[in-house]
Amino acid sequence: MKKDNKFILYLLRAMLLILITIIFFIIPTKTISANTPSLINVPLDSWVYPVISRFETLQAFEGNSTIALNTKPLTRFEVTSLIDTVLSNLQKGKVKLTQADLLLMEKLANEFQTELSTLNKGNLAPESTLKIEPYFTQKVDLLYFENINLEKLNLLSELGAKISNTISENSVFYLDALVHTDFNWVSNIQEEEIIFQAQIKQAYINLNLPSFKIAISDNFSFLPDNIGISDFSLQAGRDYMRWGPGYQGSLILTDNPPAFDMFKYSGTIDLNNSGESMAKINFTKFFSLLDTLDEQNRYFSGQRLEYKPIPALTLGLTETAIISYDSSLLFLNPLPFIPPYYITRWIADVLEQSSEINSNVGVDMELNFYPGIKLYGEWMADDFILTPKTNPYPNRTGFLAGAYFADPLGKGNTDFRIEYTHINNYVYFSTHPWQDHLYQGEYIGHSLGPDADQLYLELTHCLSDRLKLSLSYNQERHGEGQAGIPLPSDPVIANENIFLSGITEKQQAYQTELSYTMLPQWEFFVGLIWENIKNKDNNIRAAEKNTYFQIELEYQW
């Protein structure tokens, strides 16, 4: 009876959230006339990014190579610029799209119609306005353990609002705040009390600054007379980031952990003044606070360059570092990659200043030589040994490789993707626990973790302009290093256990997902997952078979 009472209590609270929404949000939003500010970042879980990736693979963005598509999030203005490029290419006959893709483009254009209107008028600065977009999400997850005859039910209700305000011509404020209640029911187990929780998911100010030029001394004849800096923007506050072309995750920086409280700036370096035909280079750098780990105060910094030498090739260079508060002020250098962190550490050591950091470096590449086919990859190093004879420890590295096929059947409604990820043991974990690449217990890099690999295949098919079917297969292998093992002092043991150490846990999962857009504001998702695990938690012959049933309903005003 107590379990039933708790479930009823949960339903009452969920209904209360809906009622609050109707009373306090629907009516007020009708009285607030607002334009969507162009400087707002598009959330990383938005449907927009898969569509942008598809059009990029179809080479629909020909003529627009100034936006760093693998340095996310993108702003609404950047997405608007891409949409405008596609519309222009369609009008000029440079690109042809199927009827299904034209419907996708229409959906994008409707979403960004305000920005497109201001772009066509040559005015990207909407007047100071306030916009409130309430939303409600209801998730139902049912897990059935086949081996042990156990059922688990999770019900999550979220009520939030996305609030944006154009402060001035070149600045905007954004807030995504919510309250949620989480109910867990496990057969034969007493549940805990259901409580409301409040959360600020995102809260930041974006600021656009004027373009400027940096004069170069005549002593450096190999450099241009000046270097232009354009699209220069600053962001202060809490937000998510994801760098790299990976689909399931990136090796260096992903949105797997909670949003970072940070100061970030980015822009475009224009080298065209050199007289040579060189592409523009996009740069980003940030400084972020981290939680205390092993009683050590620390912060997180990262920098990235993205370069498109030709339309079919995108190159990326990423570096991040976990830094102690006690480290040299040299690590607060604002210039991206001048110098890199590992050289800054060497300079600090020469100057006999504290250099307590742990840095990761990665390179990524994306190839799109043929319309509809995109190949991509990423390689990262937590520690790379240049002199193995004097330093016999193994390289702590990882790599990711994938291929994406947009419209392989030529019908405009089918996509296929395959992606493989390999991460060696000891990656993300240093000899000093406070240097672990973790934030609030979550990996800053790929969620797969160390001593593991993953093979992922996905087929998506649009049954109609509102109904989409997705079939996927996921295989993972985890060695005993998945628990996070620091590098052993004995190099022989370290090399023996570099990948899939000890007893290997093996996972296989088959998933079917159906998404349906009932109305522009209503989204409905239903999914079924069958999972088979062998040697669970690296225990020999420990097996588990699970079936997940998932339902999600989203409403946004």
Side-chain angles (χ1 to χ4, degrees), residues 447-482:
S447 60
L448 184 66
D451 200 18
D453 69 349
Q454 177 190 46
L455 176 64
Y456 181 80
L457 295 88
E458 182 184 68
L459 178 69
T460 59
H461 182 75
C462 293
L463 301 172
S464 69
D465 59 336
R466 294 187 177 186
L467 188 63
K468 184 173 73 173
L469 174 66
S470 174
L471 304 174
S472 64
Y473 169 76
N474 185 66
Q475 175 184 286
E476 296 181 14
R477 297 185 297 175
H478 296 266
E480 293 182 2
Q482 69 170 318

Side-chain angles (χ1 to χ4, degrees), residues 252 358-362 379-385 394-398 423-431 435-437 450:
I252 298 288
N358 182 30
S359 61
N360 287 347
V361 64
W379 178 87
M380 65 86 67
D382 191 331
D383 190 14
F384 189 75
I385 308 302
N395 296 319
R396 290 185 286 164
T397 60
I423 304 178
N424 282 342
N425 203 356
Y426 319 121
V427 172
Y428 304 139
F429 289 90
S430 177
T431 52
Q435 294 179 342
D436 294 347
H437 278 249

Side-chain angles (χ1 to χ4, degrees), residues 149-352:
N149 192 26
L150 188 68
E151 294 180 355
K152 181 179 179 180
L153 176 67
N154 174 260
L155 299 175
L156 175 65
S157 298
E158 293 180 344
L159 173 63
K162 300 175 183 179
I163 304 172
S164 58
N165 185 32
T166 305
I167 302 174
S168 67
E169 184 176 315
N170 295 306
S171 60
V172 68
F173 169 76
Y174 180 80
L175 171 68
D176 183 356
L178 60 88
V179 292
H180 65 88
T181 181
D182 198 352
F183 172 79
N184 287 293
W185 176 85
V186 181
S187 56
N188 303 322
I189 297 178
Q190 181 66 38
E191 295 79 26
E192 298 179 357
E193 181 182 358
I194 305 172
I195 59 175
F196 277 103
Q197 291 183 325
Q199 179 185 2
I200 297 178
K201 291 183 64 177
Q202 296 166 279
Y204 58 80
I205 293 177
N206 268 355
L207 175 66
N208 265 6
L209 297 179
S211 302
F212 60 93
K213 293 183 179 180
I214 302 174
I216 305 298
S217 172
D218 294 336
N219 296 328
F220 300 95
S221 58
F222 59 91
L223 292 177
D225 295 336
N226 55 71
I227 297 177
I229 305 295
S230 60
D231 303 321
F232 191 43
S233 63
L234 303 176
Q235 178 179 341
R238 176 176 297 178
D239 200 7
Y240 296 92
M241 294 179 288
R242 184 168 68 238
W243 291 356
Y247 180 70
Q248 283 289 290
S250 298
L251 300 178
I252 298 288
L253 181 61
T254 68
D255 54 338
N256 181 58
F260 292 102
D261 297 323
M262 63 182 172
F263 176 75
K264 182 177 73 171
Y265 47 96
S266 59
T268 302
I269 303 173
D270 188 357
L271 299 176
N272 288 327
N273 292 324
S274 63
E276 300 178 6
S277 179
M278 300 179 66
K280 297 180 179 181
I281 302 176
N282 300 93
F283 71 87
T284 303
K285 188 162 187 174
F286 71 88
F287 298 91
S288 169
L289 299 174
L290 288 183
D291 52 338
T292 300
L293 195 60
D294 197 35
E295 300 182 354
Q296 180 72 45
N297 294 321
R298 59 202 190 123
Y299 68 94
F300 185 47
S301 182
Q303 48 195 358
R304 176 171 170 83
L305 299 177
E306 191 163 322
Y307 176 50
K308 207 174 184 69
I310 58 176
L313 176 64
T314 304
L315 303 174
L317 174 63
T318 300
E319 190 181 22
T320 61
I322 305 288
I323 308 171
S324 168
Y325 279 10
D326 300 327
S327 292
S328 170
L329 295 179
L330 293 172
F331 294 106
L332 295 176
N333 167 33
L335 299 177
F337 287 98
I338 306 178
Y341 293 125
Y342 68 91
I343 294 182
T344 303
R345 181 174 184 174
W346 176 79
I347 295 174
D349 290 338
V350 170
L351 298 177
E352 297 183 351

Side-chain angles (χ1 to χ4, degrees), residues 39-73:
L39 304 180
I40 294 295
N41 294 335
V42 178
L44 292 180
D45 59 354
S46 170
W47 61 270
V48 171
Y49 289 109
V51 177
I52 292 297
S53 178
R54 177 180 175 84
F55 285 129
E56 178 198 17
T57 306
L58 294 173
Q59 298 183 349
F61 300 141
E62 181 184 349
N64 189 337
S65 60
T66 60
I67 297 175
L69 295 179
N70 293 329
T71 306
K72 300 180 183 71

